[in-house]
């Protein structure tokens, strides 16, 4: 009987599907991330690992599992936590959950954009603290969204969903990615390609939807921040390290940019105290895909990837 181990508990539909297939399933029921040593032991004893982005699946884990492990099924669209090259060399499939979380993540990016632009969190706190004594002409002035310029960095599935939502607000949408879209797709989405320099100079809102790679690490750094408008608002639901967090904090504290909405952080789960203390930042705990429907669909995809691999097939979402 093939053995499957979950490094952390995910929606139970995945476990049910695998049990129905007759697999021996073990789930970490503790509310904690397993240690690297514990993951190594799981790799030695199981045919499949279901992992999270917070799990470091490096060459040491891969080597420990190379005689038994057949698939690492990541419960995420990203997989920068896994040494894919080592897994491929060892003949171990690596899978992810693409596409299914695009709408939910784009929705959260929009929610963050609205929350920062209209100072929702600050206003809510103000009312709860009993400070509201009536309408005032300059109370919590924010920024318009309709007709403004939105710069989207990374135009994959989530970036495209972001662009679709911008249509309803008659926004001018610029995008930047390594390979330009076709003219047909640009026209359908209502977007225009811009270099990164052009995008950061022109945009009123910048939303990040790029994967974390060597090329995108600190993609927004001192040079890029120095070119931005003072009223720009930055949204990041991608990966924390695509922004140099220290530079972001500096520009926020000095009022050189208007605000930020962040769902991810450079040294996640650590969030700098300086960010926490800023009123012009809205912070969420990496909940881009956190809807009941989306997380269930991700769990089903995880199970399907495991089943295919353990049947000797190439899983539908193998990443190499």
């Amino acid at each position: 009987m093939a053995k499957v181990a979950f490094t952390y508990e995910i929606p139970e539909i995945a476990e049910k599907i695998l049990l129905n297939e007759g697999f021996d399933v073990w789930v970490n029921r503790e509310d904690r991330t397993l240690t690297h040593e514990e993951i190594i032991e799981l790799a030695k004893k199981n045919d499949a690992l279901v992992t999270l982005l917070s799990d470091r699946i490096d060459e040491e884990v891969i080597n420990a599992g190379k005689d038994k492990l057949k698939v690492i099924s990541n419960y995420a669209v990203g997989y920068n936590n896994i040494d894919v090259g080592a897994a491929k060399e060892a003949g171990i499939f690596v899978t992810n959950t693409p596409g299914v979380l695009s709408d939910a993540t784009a929705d959260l990016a929009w929610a963050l954009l609205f929350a920062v632009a209209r100072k929702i969190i600050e206003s809510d706190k103000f009312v709860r603290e009993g400070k509201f004594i009536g309408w005032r002409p300059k109370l919590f002035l924010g920024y318009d969204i309709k007709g403004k310029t939105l710069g989207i960095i990374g135009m994959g599935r989530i970036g495209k969903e972001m662009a679709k939502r911008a249509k309803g607000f008659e926004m001018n949408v610029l995008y930047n990615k390594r390979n330009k879209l076709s003219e047909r797709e640009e026209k359908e989405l209502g977007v225009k390609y811009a270099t990164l320099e052009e995008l950061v100079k022109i945009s009123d809102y910048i939303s990040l939807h790029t994967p974390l790679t060597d090329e995108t690490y600190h993609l927004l750094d001192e040079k890029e921040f120095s070119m931005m408008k003072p009223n720009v608002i930055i949204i990041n639901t991608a990966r924390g390290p695509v922004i140099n967090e220290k530079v972001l904090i500096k520009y926020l504290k000095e009022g050189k940019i208007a605000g930020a909405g962040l769902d991810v952080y450079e040294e996640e789960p650590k969030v700098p105290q300086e960010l926490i203390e800023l009123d012009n930042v809205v912070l969420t705990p990496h909940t881009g895909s956190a809807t009941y429907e989306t997380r269930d669909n991700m769990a089903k995809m995880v199970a399907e990837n495991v089943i295919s691999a353990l049947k000797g097939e190439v899983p539908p979402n193998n990443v190499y």
Side-chain angles (χ1 to χ4, degrees):
M1 183 186 297
K3 300 177 71 175
V4 183
F6 288 68
T7 63
Y8 202 92
E9 193 169 7
I10 68 173
E12 61 184 9
I13 184 67
E15 186 180 349
K16 287 181 177 179
I17 291 171
L18 293 171
L19 288 171
N20 286 339
E21 288 288 325
F23 298 132
D24 181 359
V25 179
W26 177 86
V27 181
N28 169 25
R29 305 288 184 190
E30 299 180 45
D31 187 17
R32 68 175 181 89
T33 300
L34 295 180
T35 66
H36 192 239
E37 290 70 28
E38 287 172 319
I39 293 174
I40 288 172
E41 289 304 309
L42 290 180
K44 291 177 181 178
K45 301 173 183 176
N46 288 275
D47 300 277
L49 284 183
V50 177
T51 56
L52 306 186
L53 274 173
S54 53
D55 297 319
R56 176 163 57 94
I57 311 299
D58 57 12
E59 189 174 7
E60 191 175 3
V61 175
I62 302 296
N63 287 337
K66 64 182 179 182
D67 293 329
K68 185 171 179 61
L69 195 61
K70 297 176 180 64
V71 60
I72 300 163
S73 188
N74 220 36
Y75 184 65
V77 66
Y79 47 88
N80 51 286
N81 59 309
I82 301 171
D83 188 333
V84 176
K88 183 178 182 180
E89 188 174 337
I92 299 169
F93 293 118
V94 176
T95 66
N96 65 340
T97 59
V100 69
L101 48 67
S102 301
D103 281 311
T105 305
D107 284 347
L108 182 72
W110 270 104
L112 288 170
L113 189 152
F114 270 92
V116 180
R118 296 304 304 271
K119 304 188 177 181
I120 301 299
I121 306 302
E122 293 174 76
S123 300
D124 177 86
K125 182 181 178 183
F126 184 81
V127 173
R128 291 176 188 274
E129 291 177 349
K131 296 178 180 178
F132 179 50
I133 57 173
W135 184 86
R136 294 292 184 270
K138 294 185 178 181
L139 186 62
F140 289 112
L141 297 180
Y143 297 91
D144 284 336
I145 295 168
K146 182 180 177 181
K148 294 297 183 75
T149 297
L150 170 65
I152 299 176
I153 299 176
M155 190 58 85
R157 291 183 179 94
I158 301 170
K160 289 174 184 176
E161 290 302 327
M162 195 71 179
K164 291 176 185 177
R165 285 153 176 75
K167 278 187 176 182
F169 294 92
E170 300 174 16
M171 299 186 86
N172 171 40
V173 182
L174 304 176
Y175 79 94
N176 178 265
K177 71 187 298 280
R178 186 168 53 185
N179 299 310
K180 288 178 64 175
L181 301 175
S182 66
E183 288 186 16
R184 177 188 59 80
E185 201 163 16
E186 285 185 344
K187 187 175 181 180
E188 287 176 355
L189 290 169
V191 301
K192 181 180 178 182
Y193 176 82
T195 65
L196 184 61
E197 183 173 323
E198 290 169 338
L199 186 148
V200 298
K201 283 182 177 179
I202 298 170
S203 298
D204 301 296
Y205 299 91
I206 297 173
S207 191
L208 290 137
H209 301 283
T210 184
L212 177 61
T213 65
D214 290 341
E215 292 177 355
T216 63
Y217 177 78
H218 283 188
L219 189 64
L220 296 188
D221 211 331
E222 180 71 44
K223 176 185 173 183
E224 290 71 34
F225 278 101
S226 70
M227 295 186 284
M228 294 178 188
K229 294 179 177 180
N231 63 337
V232 73
I233 288 172
I234 296 172
I235 306 301
N236 190 10
T237 56
R239 290 291 177 265
V242 299
I243 296 177
N244 185 328
E245 205 164 65
K246 290 181 180 178
V247 176
L248 170 66
I249 291 169
K250 182 182 79 169
Y251 273 73
L252 287 165
K253 289 176 74 172
E254 294 176 359
K256 292 181 178 178
I257 62 173
L262 307 174
D263 188 47
V264 289
Y265 309 92
E266 188 157 2
E267 296 181 19
E268 197 168 312
K270 180 183 176 183
V271 180
Q273 187 62 32
E274 289 176 292
L275 272 181
I276 293 171
E277 292 172 357
L278 288 169
D279 289 331
N280 56 344
V281 182
V282 176
L283 308 172
T284 52
H286 204 145
T287 50
S289 62
T291 68
Y292 290 107
E293 298 88 348
T294 298
R295 291 286 171 87
D296 276 353
N297 287 331
M298 289 170 65
K300 290 175 186 176
M301 193 175 287
V302 158
E304 290 163 2
N305 286 327
V306 168
I307 291 167
S308 292
L310 296 187
K311 285 183 176 179
E313 304 166 359
V314 176
N317 301 113
N318 189 43
V319 302
Y320 62 79

